[in-house]
Amino acid sequence: GSTERYLSSYGIEEMMNNTNQAQIDIRGIKQVIWKREMDRRDSIRIKYASKYDESSNYWKNSIGVNRAIRKLHVQAMEQELRRWIGQTPEERERLLQLFPDLELNYKSRREANHAQAYFVESFLNGPELVQLALSILNFDFEGEEKAVIASLKEKYANLDLGIDKEVFTALLKEYRSKVDSVYLPEVYTTIAREYGGSDQAYVDSLYAHSELTTPRGLKRFLEQDSTYQIYDDPAITLGIDLITKFFEMNIQMQQASGEIIRNERLLNAAVRRMYASRNFYPDANSTMRLSFGTVCGYAPFDGAEYDYYTTTKGILEKVRAHAGDVDFEVEPEILSLLSSGDFGRYADEKGEMNVCFISNNDITGGNSGSAMFNARGELLGLAFDGNWEAMSGDIAFEPDLQRCIAVDIRYVLYMIDKWGKCPRLIKELQLVR
């Protein structure tokens, strides 16, 4: 994952209003359709559960980030920087145009960036037929084709065309309502001219005439069937149309984006000069990182106080409180195990089974599954999430509020041993108690 700890207030505002808001709006629409059908049919729930979880994870993250940014006032550092520049003659001369330039260039690309954020969510991350078409357009017969083919086949196996058509129709309407008409791809002209402005009629026709709605179309493409002209397929035509519009937006923003990159670097360097006595860590940028912290609870804004750990009692309480809600269902065998209270060597000194714990470690996207060790190098658990109150952590680290959530390694071992019925794996680990 990556963080933006030194981003200007203009960049933060753009992230909130464009990238995050597009994810909130578009994924919200898509997920309502998915969830409705998942609740109606077990077969759809099985096909769509993983997709839904992945989509809703970033959807909820965007909601939390925007909420936390507004609440935490994360631009405090920039306000201090402005004061420092004004009070330091050398810096005032060097950075006289820094903030006006940032404001001007972010404003210059505002509409195109807004449109592109909604474009990505509506089309590139939207209908699965579009994703299939784009994957085929980018297919490399000379590259790692086996992995790509396996991925495409899995998409087909978990695709329901009726649901995908409904999603596509809804997103065509939503995108049109969110952007200026200059950012509409050519498909909207086709809808107006050939389908009387009916998004539904266009989508019905597209899915009826594209070979790529089934694995047969993929097979004909991979076998380079001479009777199948791939570029005549309406889904491929749409894909080319979308790629063209996407690059048009990039070109429109190119100059402003270059200036923004330059000025954000100048801002970053100025912050380091202002706090010359501090140590600065780099932003996370998909490289390996090590974070250290302390296991501890916290008190959020609502006045509640949270302890640093949870136990199996919480699982049982939630199952009872949300009876009938599939999102809180737990396998009967697991419920039986947890209800027995027989946790053996994995219990704490009170005889309870700890499930999760929190610490003030830093965490961002991509950290899930990271091992957490104590000062003696002993494995305590695996990191997997951050708390709701500090979703702005990628923008600013708030030590009093931000918590890294981990699953207790004792619970992992208990589940391997008792539920997974793999005591041989526990024996191999040669655990020392």
Side-chain angles (χ1 to χ4, degrees):
S2 60
T3 56
E4 295 285 357
R5 295 279 167 79
Y6 309 106
L7 190 63
S8 70
S9 60
Y10 305 105
I12 293 172
E13 182 181 9
E14 181 182 82
M15 180 189 297
M16 290 174 63
N17 295 335
N18 296 349
T19 306
N20 290 358
Q21 197 59 49
Q23 287 194 348
I24 293 167
D25 292 341
I26 302 300
R27 294 189 183 207
I29 291 170
K30 177 173 66 177
Q31 288 162 197
V32 164
I33 296 169
W34 284 359
K35 188 68 165 63
R36 183 195 68 215
E37 297 305 316
M38 288 166 66
D39 290 344
R40 285 177 177 173
R41 293 176 282 170
D42 284 344
S43 60
I44 297 301
R45 180 174 55 80
I46 292 168
K47 285 183 176 183
Y48 279 75
S50 178
K51 292 183 282 192
Y52 183 88
D53 286 347
E54 182 180 351
S55 176
S56 62
N57 189 28
Y58 284 95
W59 168 76
K60 189 171 183 180
N61 177 268
S62 292
I63 294 171
V65 169
N66 281 7
R67 172 182 175 273
I69 287 173
R70 293 187 183 100
K71 210 163 191 176
L72 295 176
H73 309 295
V74 297
Q75 293 97 335
M77 181 182 70
E78 185 175 308
Q79 293 169 2
E80 180 62 28
L81 178 63
R82 286 175 182 266
R83 285 194 294 270
W84 178 75
I85 291 172
Q87 295 166 4
T88 311
E90 182 182 343
E91 297 294 342
R92 191 166 60 242
E93 183 177 347
R94 178 189 298 175
L95 300 173
L96 181 65
Q97 287 299 117
L98 175 60
F99 290 107
D101 283 351
L102 278 167
E103 183 177 14
L104 176 66
N105 284 294
Y106 272 110
K107 186 176 181 179
S108 175
R109 79 173 189 185
R110 182 182 297 159
E111 286 193 14
N113 184 272
H114 174 85
Q116 192 175 75
Y118 277 88
F119 187 94
V120 168
E121 288 300 318
S122 299
F123 301 114
L124 308 191
N125 293 335
E128 292 179 83
L129 178 60
V130 172
Q131 295 177 38
L132 286 163
L134 293 174
S135 295
I136 288 171
L137 275 169
N138 289 313
F139 191 83
D140 180 9
F141 279 99
E142 304 300 324
E144 294 291 327
E145 59 179 77
K146 287 185 179 178
V148 176
I149 292 171
S151 174
L152 290 171
K153 287 181 177 178
E154 184 178 358
K155 272 188 176 292
Y156 277 111
N158 293 313
L159 172 64
D160 182 281
L161 293 178
I163 294 174
D164 204 47
K165 286 169 65 177
E166 185 176 354
V167 167
F168 199 171
T169 305
L171 298 192
L172 280 168
K173 179 181 178 182
E174 182 70 4
Y175 181 75
R176 183 193 286 111
S177 73
K178 293 296 185 182
V179 306
D180 188 278
S181 60
V182 71
Y183 300 110
L184 298 179
E186 186 62 28
V187 64
Y188 284 93
T189 302
T190 301
I191 292 171
R193 186 177 59 237
E194 299 180 19
Y195 296 91
S198 171
D199 297 333
Q200 184 67 63
Y202 165 74
V203 171
D204 287 342
S205 176
L206 172 67
Y207 281 70
H209 292 94
S210 174
E211 289 275 351
L212 299 183
T213 54
T214 69
R216 179 174 178 271
L218 174 65
K219 183 172 184 290
R220 294 182 70 185
F221 164 71
L222 294 174
E223 293 175 353
Q224 301 185 50
D225 184 342
S226 60
T227 64
Y228 176 44
Q229 300 300 313
I230 187 71
Y231 290 104
D232 290 335
D233 191 293
I236 294 296
T237 302
L238 172 63
I240 294 171
D241 168 31
L242 295 175
I243 291 171
T244 301
K245 180 56 70 173
F246 183 81
F247 280 106
E248 280 180 14
M249 295 180 193
N250 276 343
I251 291 169
Q252 185 176 341
M253 293 187 288
Q254 193 170 29
Q255 183 175 349
S257 296
E259 288 297 312
I260 286 170
I261 291 170
R262 186 181 74 86
N263 285 307
E264 289 285 2
R265 285 175 176 170
L266 290 175
L267 185 147
N268 191 312
V271 170
R272 291 167 186 268
R273 291 196 300 274
M274 179 174 67
Y275 297 120
S277 60
R278 294 187 186 179
N279 289 322
F280 281 85
Y281 57 86
D283 266 314
N285 54 3
S286 301
T287 58
M288 295 289 284
R289 301 193 308 162
L290 179 67
S291 169
F292 65 90
T294 304
V295 174
C296 56
Y298 73 108
F301 299 117
D302 57 15
E305 291 188 16
Y306 296 120
D307 210 340
Y308 68 87
Y309 70 97
T310 59
T311 70
T312 54
K313 290 180 180 177
I315 296 176
L316 299 175
E317 288 170 0
K318 284 187 177 180
V319 169
R320 287 193 294 270
H322 299 276
D325 187 336
V326 295
D327 290 336
F328 289 88
E329 284 183 2
V330 177
E331 288 185 22
E333 186 179 356
I334 294 177
L335 283 178
S336 177
L337 280 171
L338 301 186
S339 298
S340 73
D342 181 15
F343 304 119
R345 64 192 296 191
Y346 308 110
D348 65 9
E349 60 277 2
K350 300 176 186 176
E352 295 180 341
M353 177 83 262
N354 287 25
V355 176
C356 293
F357 65 91
I358 55 176
S359 70
N360 59 9
N361 283 77
D362 205 351
I363 186 171
T364 188
N367 288 156
S368 296
S370 297
M372 300 185 73
F373 303 94
N374 65 13
R376 295 184 294 276
E378 298 165 337
L379 182 63
L380 297 183
L382 304 175
F384 70 89
D385 208 348
N387 60 315
W388 176 243
E389 292 83 3
M391 284 290 100
S392 60
D394 285 352
I395 305 297
F397 183 80
E398 296 284 342
D400 292 335
L401 279 178
Q402 189 163 332
R403 294 295 179 265
C404 170
I405 307 173
V407 59
D408 194 302
I409 199 62
R410 290 170 293 185
Y411 185 64
V412 174
L413 295 171
Y414 171 78
M415 293 299 284
I416 292 171
D417 189 352
K418 303 302 181 183
W419 177 69
K421 299 178 177 61
C422 292
R424 66 187 186 280
L425 295 180
I426 304 299
K427 186 176 181 181
E428 283 182 27
L429 292 173
Q430 299 180 353
L431 303 177
V432 177
R433 180 69 189 227

